[in-house]
Amino acid sequence: MDEAVRALVQLVDPRLIERGLVKQRVQLRRHVTHAVEHSTLERYATVARGLHGRRCTCLHCSSMAAVQPVQQLSLGKSTEAGFIQFYNSMPEKPSTTVRVFDRNEYFTVHGEDASLAARLVFHTSSAVKQLGSGCQQLPSVALSRMNFESFARELLLVRQYRVEVYRNKGRGVWTVAYKASPGNLQQLEEVLFGGGAITHTAVTLAVRLATQGKQGGRLVGLAYADLNNHVLGVTEFTDSDQLSELQACLVQLGPKECLLVSSDRHSDSGRLRQLLSRCGLLITDRKRSLQLERQGTLSTSLPPQLSSARRTL
């Protein structure tokens, strides 16, 4: 590491070594680590130049300095009590879903989501404040609009989380105004991409396993929607015990989210979920439709509106 630090400083300005900059090894290593995470030589140089002035000016440190918890969550006692009561009455959510509350001038997250926001946005737990008092305290974090946009990008484009944004409809009632998931970013495209070109693929997949007749083979039904390219695909095929054909489809399509039937009792449903998790897909459970309730196996016939979209991958 010392050789790497010395080579970096020499690359930027050999005179810095003469001034004893390399002696500050602890500080230099910390900021070089920031630059390595961003993996460009130009930012390496920015790090060393910033250290000459005893302050790091790399993009990572500059962005962290700009992203500070400047918003203060201040509500009246009656409003706090009403909101805490409403929040505690909300139905349980998956750990991969984050609920954000739009308060017009700023946003807030609460409970476990507050700890997640403090860690990802502010990189410190001190940003978490307690809403309410006594045994009714609720961990909360206030986010500016810039903080919220950064948080949403991290959740949707990197960590494969769902995001739900709530707005107050009056009398303490909050409803979902818009939401997004890794496979469906349409309602948050403006926040994520700022009206520019969409460079992130958003493919949603749906998979169902069935047993093929008396042979007992595995029949895989697969459908996908590519929202960016406006493509809908449907196919079905037999697969091996290791679901190798399905793995090939996942590699080819590069989906971000997969829809599964929540009450599926197929013997390979656990193996399917493990495969999807290894591939980094967000799994979304959906209730069984009436059509699936009436049939025990996958049907090879498609509705007329989807017949032209069927193809074998």
Side-chain angles (χ1 to χ4, degrees):
M1 181 66 181
D2 291 337
E3 290 77 8
V5 170
R6 184 177 294 275
L8 171 61
V9 177
Q10 284 181 331
L11 176 66
V12 179
D13 189 349
R15 294 174 297 176
L16 296 181
I17 295 181
E18 300 175 0
R19 299 175 184 176
L21 180 61
V22 180
K23 293 182 180 179
Q24 301 177 3
R25 292 179 180 177
V26 176
Q27 182 185 7
L28 189 56
R29 285 176 180 172
R30 176 163 55 89
H31 292 290
V32 168
T33 301
H34 289 172
V36 170
E37 290 177 354
H38 292 268
S39 66
T40 61
L41 185 60
E42 179 182 355
R43 292 174 187 172
Y44 292 172
T46 306
V47 169
R49 292 194 186 99
L51 285 174
H52 176 51
R54 301 299 187 268
R55 180 182 179 185
C56 178
T57 59
C58 69
L59 297 184
H60 177 83
C61 295
S62 298
S63 61
M64 289 302 102
V67 182
Q68 295 296 328
V70 295
Q71 297 293 337
Q72 297 295 329
L73 179 57
S74 57
L75 303 174
K77 291 185 178 180
S78 59
T79 304
E80 284 185 358
F83 177 78
I84 293 175
Q85 182 179 3
F86 169 80
Y87 185 86
N88 292 333
S89 67
M90 297 180 71
E92 186 177 356
K93 66 179 181 66
S95 59
T96 52
T97 298
V98 173
R99 289 168 173 164
V100 182
F101 295 85
D102 186 354
R103 300 181 182 273
N104 297 326
E105 296 182 357
Y106 60 96
F107 299 82
T108 60
V109 288
H110 307 273
E112 295 180 356
D113 298 338
S115 301
L116 180 64
R119 186 173 70 253
L120 296 183
V121 179
F122 305 115
H123 298 269
T124 175
S125 59
S126 62
V128 180
K129 307 299 180 183
Q130 297 298 328
L131 189 65
S133 60
C135 60
Q136 297 295 326
Q137 288 187 344
L138 179 65
S140 308
V141 169
L143 303 171
S144 66
R145 184 163 298 277
M146 183 184 68
N147 296 156
F148 166 67
E149 293 175 356
S150 174
F151 189 41
R153 292 190 194 99
E154 179 72 18
L155 293 176
L156 291 168
L157 304 183
V158 179
R159 297 181 179 268
Q160 311 301 323
Y161 276 66
R162 301 180 195 89
V163 175
E164 297 177 350
V165 181
Y166 289 76
R167 282 180 178 166
N168 192 351
K169 295 299 182 181
R171 297 183 179 180
V173 178
W174 295 77
T175 58
V176 178
Y178 45 95
K179 57 185 178 180
S181 63
N184 185 3
L185 305 173
Q186 286 186 331
Q187 296 187 21
L188 283 177
E189 285 180 356
E190 185 68 25
V191 172
L192 299 175
F193 307 106
I198 300 176
T199 58
H200 188 80
T201 59
V203 177
T204 302
L205 194 71
V207 179
R208 181 169 182 256
L209 301 179
T211 303
Q212 189 177 24
K214 298 180 180 180
Q215 300 177 357
R218 291 166 180 78
L219 186 64
V220 179
L222 184 149
Y224 76 94
D226 186 344
L227 301 181
N228 292 348
N229 298 317
H230 306 286
V231 175
L232 178 67
V234 183
T235 186
E236 62 184 21
F237 50 86
T238 57
D239 209 343
S240 62
D241 295 344
Q242 291 75 28
L243 301 177
S244 56
E245 294 293 334
L246 178 58
Q247 293 185 50
C249 292
L250 295 178
V251 173
Q252 180 179 351
L253 295 173
K256 302 296 183 182
E257 182 178 2
C258 183
L259 308 180
L260 295 179
V261 179
S262 57
S263 58
D264 191 0
R265 298 181 180 179
H266 194 275
S267 58
D268 289 331
S269 59
R271 184 178 302 176
L272 172 61
R273 289 178 178 271
Q274 291 178 4
L275 170 62
L276 297 174
S277 298
R278 288 199 307 269
C279 294
L281 273 70
L282 175 65
I283 299 176
T284 301
D285 290 310
R286 288 291 182 262
K287 294 182 179 180
R288 184 186 294 267
S289 66
L290 294 178
Q291 182 179 1
L292 293 179
E293 291 284 0
R294 296 169 182 169
Q295 61 186 36
T297 60
L298 294 175
S299 174
T300 56
S301 60
L302 295 172
Q305 62 269 29
L306 294 182
S307 59
S308 60
R310 178 177 178 175
R311 66 187 184 94
T312 301
L313 298 173

